[in-house]
Amino acid sequence: MASARGEFSSRFGFVMAAAGSAVGLGNIWGFPTQAASNGGAAFLLIYLVLAFTLAYPALMAELIIGRHAHANAVNALRLISPNSQLRNIGAATGIIGFIVASLILSFYAIVAGWMIAFCLSSLANLLGLSDLAAWLTTFGLPRNVLFMGIFIVFTIGIISAGVREGIERWSARLMPALLATLFLLVAYVLTLDGAMEGLRVYLLPDFERALSPTLIIAALGAAFFSLSLGVGTMLIYGSYINDDENLPVVGGLVTLVDILIAVMAGFLVIPAMYVALHNGVDIFTATGELISEDTLIFTVLPELFTTMGFAGIIVSFTFFFLMSIAALTSSISMLEVPVAYVIEEHGLKRKTAVFSIGGAIALASGVILLNFESLFGLVIAFTTRYSQPLLGFMFCIYAGWVWHRDQLLQELRKGSPEVEHTLFWKIWPWYVKLVCPVIILGIFMHSLWG
Ligand code: TRP
């Protein structure tokens, strides 16, 4: 059964695919800007601690349930439930998860489209087509719709090829390209005047700012988004791992790659901001805060590239190319969630499922673009601030309380016979049972009333 529904062919393939899902705009765009404005190295430290102590256990919950069931989240949560009530709640959680995953893709595709447009704009500049270059970087409905559509077509293309030929093959190609591009860019930016000032800001901890509750909450939210938790993405990738694989180890590898790339992106983006400052670009707001979020990526960095002349065009192309790849290996993992569900639950052919769901998501993106002011921020908040933590909470409850502990242990033993005697088994079970749910709930309460 497992092979009929697709399976990753190797540990490398799985780690590239899952790390590809995890590494995305959240790492390269979100993490560095938050670190820059929240106490630099102190934020980094808190992020590291939270990623290992909370996000990793939650990731393991999804991977183990998925591998055990070799099925999508709806069927998997049903399978591990002992009675019909819990089966229904589990199925509902899975269904909400796939709706949220689709909604996340609908805004993610818009931002990813901008990345492609900015990437092509550098090419246009190179060819001297400055009108086209300007159009590509100016916010407007036709441009937004066109590039969102192009990005969804890429995503559909990869997912329609299936687990091994699509997800694994493309992640294994694109992830090394992403790493190489990132290292090259970091090495180059660090040689520029002003970069050292940025390094100082990034690496000198300001603990007073880092220990505020709001910041810790922001860091945890960032870690959850960054590891693609809470919507069944990692559960479905876990369901494609073969039974001999040592899950705590591969989960650890994925977490490490994700963190490594976020930290590396900090070495790129923060020094780049200070190079921009050195070249006369404004990087502080009127109130003296560092500019962050979209203004940084779509205004400050392009202005920096402009001050760098010809080299700037190449660097700009490389940077937005990197962002586009990172977004693509993440978006395929979002689309796989609803696609796997309708294939397994309703017996649709993969191609039919991919094209109809991909089309529906493109429509949803179109609706967001037509009502950008009112919908864009709303969809992001609804999915990432409220739904993701709540669904992540449910996955922990199912792994920690609902699923029979002996069955869970048996599942882990398949790939690591000695697991009972490891540190993992001493800590993880009560972690997903108590620590993760309590903290996730705490964050959720805070984001509601905080
Ligand atoms: N982790 C990705 C990033 O950092 C985004 C992502 C992929 C995601 N799949 C997800 C986020 C599922 C939430 C849920 O950009």
Side-chain angles (χ1 to χ4, degrees), residues 21-27 104 108 225-229 231 233 330 333-334 388:
S21 164
V23 173
L25 302 178
N27 300 60
I104 291 181
Y108 208 82
F225 185 81
S226 182
L227 272 175
S228 312
L229 297 175
V231 300
T233 288
S330 295
S333 76
M334 298 171 198
Q388 261 192 297

Side-chain angles (χ1 to χ4, degrees), residues 242-266:
N242 74 46
D243 285 338
D244 314 321
E245 196 51 87
N246 186 328
L247 287 177
V249 170
V250 291
L253 283 175
V254 172
T255 311
L256 273 178
V257 175
D258 185 54
I259 291 173
L260 175 82
I261 295 197
V263 172
M264 277 304 290

